[in-house]
């Protein structure tokens, strides 16, 4: 088997659904005993009077978590498909398996829009 280039690998990942990609990441972590987590922020120590000044990081990435489908499950599935580009089966499985994240690591504006759309369809949503 020929070795794939980085561009070829990225092209393969683009064709995967979010659920398939998530399963791949878990399998990768298990196989190579690694964690695909973001690097921890560095704390900077100040020299003013011996007190340590900690870097305060403002949260700029949010997860939109579906906590319940409500009474209009079909409408919620439609909104999930619009937000994620999942197929019908994947979106239905996500809605049936609540609580589950619909979007991960999105900006505040996108998280608020997604929450508003999902709640408009009758779903219960948390932004973390």
């Amino acid at each position: 088997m020929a070795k794939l280039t980085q561009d070829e690998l990225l092209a393969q990942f683009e064709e995967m659904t979010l659920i398939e990609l998530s399963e791949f990441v878990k399998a990768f972590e298990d196989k190579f005993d690694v964690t695909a987590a973001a690097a921890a922020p560095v704390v900077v120590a100040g020299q003013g009077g011996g007190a340590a000044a900690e870097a305060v990081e403002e949260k700029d990435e949010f997860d939109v978590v579906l906590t319940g489908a409500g009474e209009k499950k079909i409408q919620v599935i439609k909104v999930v498909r619009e937000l994620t580009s999942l197929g019908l089966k994947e979106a239905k499985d996500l809605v049936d398996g609540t609580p589950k994240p619909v979007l991960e690591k999105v900006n505040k504006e996108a998280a608020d829009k997604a929450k508003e759309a999902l709640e408009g369809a009758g779903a219960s949503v948390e932004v973390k």
Side-chain angles (χ1 to χ4, degrees), residues 32-95:
F32 296 104
D33 194 29
V34 295
T35 303
V42 177
V43 177
V44 179
Q47 296 180 5
E54 295 185 16
V56 177
E57 183 177 333
E58 184 177 329
K59 187 171 183 174
D60 60 350
E61 291 183 340
F62 299 87
D63 295 341
V64 179
V65 179
L66 183 66
T67 58
E71 306 227 349
K72 299 178 183 178
K73 188 166 123 179
I74 293 172
Q75 297 294 38
V76 174
I77 292 170
K78 288 180 181 179
V79 172
V80 167
R81 288 189 68 202
E82 291 171 10
L83 293 172
T84 63
S85 72
L86 290 175
L88 180 59
K89 182 182 181 337
E90 290 87 1
K92 182 182 180 303
D93 291 345
L94 188 146
V95 171

